[in-house]
């Protein structure tokens, strides 16, 4: 219940900041996400090579959000970012809904990940990709179905990457912010990898 409503508020603010003509709003929102993620990275022990891994994690977060703001500046940037956020969210929702019925686990990194959840994520993303194709094909020249699948897979891999880091640190959550979501990194883990992958798709 808390996760649903806090997530609804989170994605609503994110979407509003994307479409707002005031660029300061999106910059402030992104800055908060970066600051929160950086704080949580500092809390990881990551032994051995903790300094090197922390550096790489910080670079990963900064690179991803830099690319995110770069997409915002492109022609139809607000629409492009809306597609990205929608796909990432539906990947999460599809995985959660279908995964709740899943019994075939495929990853020791994240014990709750199932093949049923993976299928649900892809189905949700492809479905909305088809909807986008019908509505936006005259505005954007991209393969919506292929893009949906690649964003979905990148979201899942990004999620697993942060989950692996949490397991190395024997943590279930990356932090205690964002009620019901387990911290900033837990909320943006899928977006961090999906963003650069999406940017490459746009320019392919």
């Amino acid at each position: 219940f808390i996760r649903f409503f806090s997530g609804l508020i989170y994605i609503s603010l994110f979407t509003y900041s994307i479409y707002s003509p005031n660029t300061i709003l999106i910059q402030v929102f992104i800055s908060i996400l970066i600051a929160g993620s950086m704080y949580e990275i500092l809390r990881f022990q990551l032994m051995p090579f903790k300094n090197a891994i922390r550096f790489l994690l910080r670079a990963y977060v900064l690179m991803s959000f830099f690319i995110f703001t770069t997409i915002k500046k492109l022609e139809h940037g607000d629409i492009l970012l809306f597609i990205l956020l929608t796909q990432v969210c539906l990947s999460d929702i599809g995985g959660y809904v279908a995964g709740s019925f899943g019994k075939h686990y495929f990853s020791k990194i994240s014990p709750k990940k199932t093949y049923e959840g993976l299928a649900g994520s892809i189905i949700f993303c492809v479905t909305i990709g088809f909807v986008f194709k019908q509505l936006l094909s005259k505005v954007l020249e991209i393969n919506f179905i292929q893009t949906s699948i690649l964003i979905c897979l990148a979201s899942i891999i990004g999620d697993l990457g942060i989950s692996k880091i949490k397991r190395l640190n024997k943590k279930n959550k990356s932090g205690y912010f964002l009620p019901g979501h387990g911290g900033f990194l837990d909320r943006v883990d899928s977006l961090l990898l999906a963003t650069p992958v999406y940017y490459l798709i746009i320019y392919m």
Side-chain angles (χ1 to χ4, degrees):
F1 181 83
I2 294 176
R3 179 182 175 87
F4 174 78
F5 282 102
S6 61
L8 186 63
I9 293 171
Y10 164 79
I11 197 62
S12 297
L13 289 173
F14 214 156
T15 303
Y16 178 75
S17 66
I18 287 172
Y19 279 100
S20 174
N22 188 350
T23 57
I24 294 178
L25 187 60
I26 187 65
Q27 291 171 357
V28 170
F29 197 85
I30 292 296
S31 296
I32 292 172
L33 292 178
I34 291 175
S37 298
M38 292 297 182
Y39 171 76
E40 290 174 359
I41 289 171
L42 285 175
R43 297 176 65 249
F44 290 143
Q45 298 302 315
L46 299 168
M47 295 295 290
F49 309 118
K50 66 178 182 180
N51 290 331
I53 298 176
R54 280 177 180 166
F55 173 80
L56 291 174
L57 278 173
R58 291 188 192 116
Y60 174 53
V61 170
L62 290 173
M63 176 200 69
S64 181
F65 281 118
F66 173 78
I67 293 174
F68 189 92
T69 55
T70 299
I71 295 174
K72 166 69 174 174
K73 298 175 184 177
L74 298 176
E75 184 180 9
H76 307 302
D78 50 357
I79 298 176
L80 288 168
L81 288 181
F82 178 74
I83 291 173
L84 173 62
L85 282 181
T86 303
Q87 294 286 11
V88 170
C89 287
L90 284 179
S91 175
D92 187 32
I93 293 171
Y96 179 79
V97 172
S100 62
F101 302 99
K103 296 181 180 179
H104 301 88
Y105 302 96
F106 72 87
S107 174
K108 293 181 180 180
I109 296 175
S110 184
K112 295 182 180 180
K113 289 286 189 295
T114 64
Y115 285 106
E116 291 85 352
L118 176 62
S121 294
I122 294 175
I123 290 171
F124 272 52
C125 287
V126 169
T127 300
I128 195 62
F130 180 78
V131 173
F132 285 144
K133 180 180 179 181
Q134 304 305 309
L135 297 176
L136 302 172
S137 58
K138 294 182 180 179
V139 179
L140 299 173
E141 296 181 0
I142 60 175
N143 187 321
F144 288 94
I145 305 301
Q146 175 182 305
T147 299
S148 300
I149 295 173
L150 291 175
I151 290 176
C152 178
L153 294 177
S155 298
I156 294 170
I157 294 171
D159 182 10
L160 288 174
I162 297 299
S163 294
K164 178 63 175 178
I165 291 171
K166 288 188 295 183
R167 285 179 67 85
L168 288 174
N169 287 269
K170 299 179 180 180
K171 295 179 181 291
N172 293 324
K173 301 177 180 180
S174 62
Y176 300 97
F177 299 101
L178 302 177
H181 294 273
F184 284 92
L185 284 175
D186 275 29
R187 185 63 276 159
V188 301
D189 51 8
S190 300
L191 184 64
L192 290 175
L193 184 59
T195 298
V197 168
Y198 183 53
Y199 186 73
L200 290 175
I201 294 171
I202 295 171
Y203 278 96
M204 284 179 62

